[in-house]
Amino acid sequence: MKAIKKVIFILGVFTVFSCSNEQEYTVVEIKGNQFYINGELTYKDRYWEGNKIEGLLMNSRMVQGIFDDLNPESVSRFNYPDTNEWSADRNTNEFIAAMPDWKNHGMLAFTLNLQGGSPMGYGNKNAINSTFKPDGNLRPAYMERLERILNKANALEMVVILGYFYFGQDHVLKDEAAVIKGVDNITNWILDKGYKNILVEIANEVDYPRYDHPILDVARVHELVVRVKNTEKNGNRLLVSTSFRGGRLPSAKVVDVADFILIHGNKVENPDDITILVEKVRSMKGYSNQPILFNEDDHFNFDAKSNNMVNAVKAYASWGYFDFRKEDEAFENGFQTVPVSWGINSERKKNFFNKLKEITRY
């Protein structure tokens, strides 16, 4: 009898451990045009000035979280002002340290990119920053930094909008076969690791005419969207889309297959045009009530009654802050220009996060 009780006790412990292990992953889901995290509507029951907030996914473009420059001739351009040295590990460590503060202000998601973004704000200037090797295999040092960020996001119950390619770096991959191999490698790595808090952005602004590989261009990128959607492990697959330039509508082919719609607000100077852009997406043929999400907009003016962020929210579209530092600005400004100061430590950042906290009531 004692032996039977011992077996029952061991089985009970194993069951509890297994359940807790299953629940250790933060899960992002889409139901209709709303986002859920761990089975609950985001910003549940929250309204701001009569506008529904629940189900949105407010975010910021933080694409340089795993940045490095593999070009020895240009890497010194990114030296930190206090040490006069560049450190990829310091960059990632400071990113991770800042994440809880972002979350505490109501930011539930951020965009990270495996090839970063322009490290000069606008402009690349020979930097080589790519998680992908020329053959499509993954660089271990980048993957180690990525895993640390994903683990922290998982612990904080945050969502990562993970971009695979950037038009300033896709030339690193030698051919289309390498691009496809890269997509398969990173998609399978994510699924094998068990992460469920990731939204995939195949490539940033696919209609920008600087992609070297046609499969990353607007005419064919839907092929990769479908490829990721069709990759499953243990009954799980990744939610996936791709983004387009500021003020531009996505292609009908992407709208037809994407799990969510990514648009940008760059160059949209009149906030009323943000509302019009969202309405145009919803009226597109093939649109099937997917969530609409801005994950890049370089317009601020957060104190104004009407601005791009506010108008996106009023149109029931999630909004993403894009803050780059100009050459004459202080180190604390910006979340894209490298080296990045990841804290909420400039007036512009404070204005965004304070407005975000007001809207989300976090």
Side-chain angles (χ1 to χ4, degrees):
M1 188 66 180
K2 286 183 179 179
I4 293 173
K5 286 182 178 179
K6 186 174 182 181
V7 170
I8 292 172
F9 173 76
I10 291 170
L11 287 173
V13 170
F14 178 76
T15 301
V16 170
F17 174 77
S18 295
C19 288
S20 108
N21 204 36
E22 287 173 3
Q23 293 170 2
E24 72 181 28
Y25 291 104
T26 294
V27 179
V28 61
E29 296 174 281
I30 293 172
K31 299 178 184 179
N33 65 349
Q34 297 179 305
F35 289 98
Y36 288 69
I37 295 178
N38 292 334
E40 186 170 284
L41 268 171
T42 58
Y43 313 116
K44 188 177 180 182
D45 298 325
R46 294 176 194 179
Y47 284 75
W48 174 75
E49 295 189 353
N51 299 286
K52 184 171 70 172
I53 305 303
E54 66 175 12
L56 294 181
L57 194 66
M58 303 300 279
N59 64 94
S60 179
R61 180 176 169 87
M62 310 292 203
V63 292
Q64 311 289 24
I66 60 173
F67 176 87
D68 199 3
D69 185 3
L70 305 177
N71 183 355
E73 296 181 4
S74 58
V75 66
S76 62
R77 199 169 52 223
F78 306 113
N79 288 350
Y80 284 96
D82 58 342
T83 63
N84 200 32
E85 292 181 343
W86 164 248
S87 169
D89 283 329
R90 172 180 171 177
N91 177 59
T92 298
N93 290 340
E94 291 182 356
F95 184 105
I96 291 169
M99 288 168 63
D101 201 15
W102 304 341
K103 171 71 182 294
N104 288 338
H105 283 78
M107 197 179 91
L108 297 185
F110 55 85
T111 296
L112 194 64
N113 194 295
L114 299 176
Q115 296 191 314
S118 167
M120 312 296 290
Y122 286 110
N124 203 55
K125 299 184 180 177
N126 299 321
I128 301 173
N129 174 44
S130 178
T131 302
F132 302 106
K133 296 179 180 180
D135 62 0
N137 284 325
L138 307 172
R139 300 184 195 274
Y142 277 82
M143 296 305 296
E144 187 274 335
R145 294 193 297 273
L146 174 64
E147 189 167 7
R148 284 195 282 135
I149 290 177
L150 296 185
N151 287 344
K152 186 65 173 181
N154 186 64
L156 291 171
E157 298 185 326
M158 295 181 77
V159 174
V160 180
I161 304 165
L162 186 63
Y164 284 6
F165 300 101
Y166 170 64
F167 57 74
Q169 295 292 336
D170 74 296
H171 63 276
V172 170
L173 291 103
K174 63 182 180 181
D175 52 27
E176 183 170 306
V179 172
I180 293 172
K181 182 178 178 181
V183 168
D184 290 346
N185 281 339
I186 186 59
T187 301
N188 283 299
W189 181 90
I190 294 167
L191 291 170
D192 287 340
K193 288 287 183 180
Y195 293 114
K196 299 176 182 178
N197 61 329
I198 292 175
L199 302 175
V200 173
E201 175 185 21
I202 291 293
N204 175 70
E205 298 186 346
V206 294
D207 55 337
Y208 198 83
R210 281 185 54 191
Y211 278 101
D212 288 73
H213 303 290
I215 199 167
L216 291 174
D217 206 342
V218 63
R220 292 185 57 204
V221 71
H222 65 284
E223 297 174 26
L224 295 178
V225 173
V226 172
R227 190 177 187 89
V228 172
K229 285 182 70 171
N230 288 343
T231 304
E232 291 190 12
K233 292 285 178 74
N234 301 317
N236 297 314
R237 74 163 181 90
L238 300 177
L239 299 170
V240 55
S241 186
T242 196
S243 67
F244 293 76
R245 281 187 287 174
R248 303 291 185 92
L249 289 171
S251 70
K253 289 180 179 179
V254 167
V255 169
D256 191 50
V257 298
D259 293 300
F260 54 99
I261 308 300
L262 284 175
I263 51 178
H264 288 175
N266 303 345
K267 297 185 179 180
V268 181
E269 306 300 334
N270 185 342
D272 290 342
D273 290 334
I274 289 290
T275 307
I276 293 170
L277 180 61
V278 173
E279 290 173 348
K280 284 183 176 179
V281 171
R282 290 196 175 116
S283 66
M284 288 184 68
K285 183 180 179 181
Y287 175 73
S288 55
N289 201 36
Q290 301 105 307
I292 297 173
L293 188 155
F294 289 86
N295 71 329
E296 182 176 336
D297 194 335
D298 58 0
H299 292 83
F300 315 122
N301 200 22
F302 298 112
D303 292 331
K305 187 173 182 179
S306 176
N307 58 58
N308 286 15
M309 178 185 186
V310 164
N311 280 30
V313 168
K314 288 181 176 180
Y316 201 62
S318 305
W319 192 81
Y321 175 61
F322 171 35
D323 186 7
F324 64 92
R325 183 180 74 246
K326 297 177 183 177
E327 290 185 10
D328 60 346
E329 289 185 312
F331 168 58
E332 288 75 21
N333 277 45
F335 279 136
Q336 172 145 317
T337 310
V338 183
V340 182
S341 180
W342 293 110
I344 304 173
N345 50 12
S346 72
E347 284 306 306
R348 198 160 60 211
K349 293 175 184 176
K350 291 174 184 176
N351 289 340
F352 162 66
F353 279 100
N354 288 339
K355 191 67 176 182
L356 179 62
K357 196 174 184 73
E358 174 194 329
I359 290 173
T360 62
R361 292 195 288 115
Y362 240 75

